Amino acid sequence: MNEQMASAREWLDSAISASEEIATVALGLEGVELVGIRKEPPDEQGSAHIALVGEQNSVQIGIASNINGCQELARTLLGMEPDEEDLAEDEVADAMGEIANILAGQVKTMMAERNITVNLGIPIFINGHVEVTTEKDVAAADIQLGAIPATIIVLTNREDN
Amino acid sequence: MRIMVVDDSKTMRMIVKRTLRQAGYGDHSVEEASNGKEALEAIKASKPGLILCDWNMPEMNGLELLQTLNSEGIKVSFGFVTSEGTPEMQKIAEENGALFLISKPFTSDTFQEKLGSVLS
């Protein structure tokens, strides 16, 4: 069977579904709330991204939040107490990378059920705005992971390239 | 038993250690490595009884580590703790002799279920 190409929106929908497991199992939160779909990545945020690459599909999936949000996500992932000292920048980056890794892994498994096979890359963490070039399609969604605001960002190659 | 946790993420190594404690395996000593190459040297030196290993890592990934252990005749209980959870990856893990593949995110219940027979 030929592998199909999925659109940026389809990858985003899978990532939104996968974020429920991130929220409840990885982070121990009540759940995730979809706040809204957005047309481009947020400004000036910390974000962790990971590549998923296959024969027909090449995608970057990322999770972003503001400075406080990234710190909270990292602390929550590590199960830290409120009175513990803040994590250093590199520790936050590592934790956010791991959240992106878990998210991407869940998306990969979901897409495999549609006969879409991709390989996972290694996460990177970026401080700042992700600039989307004209060759790329972007799909993004603002979510609430418990009380923590975050954005899921999906970048794919534009289908008409 | 000595347990080795192999993951390029320090965060994930901490989470695995925490989950081992939550699952009731806190009495076992735990050492860490940040990639397969580092783990291979440490395994030869300290001879752990169980490896909990990530799949995607720089230098040497988890599958390459397992295959190297096999080719060098180093016998050790080996399981993956990884974001890779597809049936294809589970099959590859099994074919190469991994005892289990635990997908992230995981719970202490999952650790008890998969590690119980190895650690008890």
Side-chain angles (χ1 to χ4, degrees), chain A residues 49-81:
Chain A
H49 300 263
I50 189 164
L52 293 84
V53 179
E55 282 185 15
Q56 296 294 332
N57 293 271
S58 180
V59 186
Q60 288 270 349
I61 288 183
I63 181 153
S65 190
N66 56 43
I67 294 176
N68 288 339
C70 288
Q71 176 74 218
E72 270 316 296
L73 284 170
R75 294 172 68 87
T76 306
L77 183 67
L78 286 162
M80 292 173 66
E81 297 295 333

Side-chain angles (χ1 to χ4, degrees), chain A residues 77-112:
Chain A
L77 183 67
L78 286 162
M80 292 173 66
E81 297 295 333
D83 59 351
E84 290 186 68
E85 264 186 34
D86 273 356
L87 292 165
E89 276 186 20
D90 61 334
E91 292 171 319
V92 172
D94 183 30
M96 287 292 289
E98 198 50 42
I99 293 172
N101 185 30
I102 297 170
L103 180 66
Q106 293 282 301
V107 170
K108 177 181 172 176
T109 302
M110 290 167 74
M111 287 305 213

Side-chain angles (χ1 to χ4, degrees), chain B residues 96-112:
Chain B
N96 281 275
L99 294 177
F100 51 80
L101 186 150
I102 293 172
S103 299
K104 299 172 185 176
F106 46 80
T107 63
S108 56
D109 285 348
T110 307
F111 268 38
Q112 284 177 340

Side-chain angles (χ1 to χ4, degrees), chain A residues 19-32 72-73 75-77 99 144-149:
Chain A
S19 65
E20 178 71 29
E21 187 108 345
I22 306 301
T24 55
V25 181
L27 298 172
L29 300 171
E30 294 261 324
V32 64
E72 270 316 296
L73 284 170
R75 294 172 68 87
T76 306
L77 183 67
I99 293 172
Q144 285 283 133
L145 293 162
I148 307 168

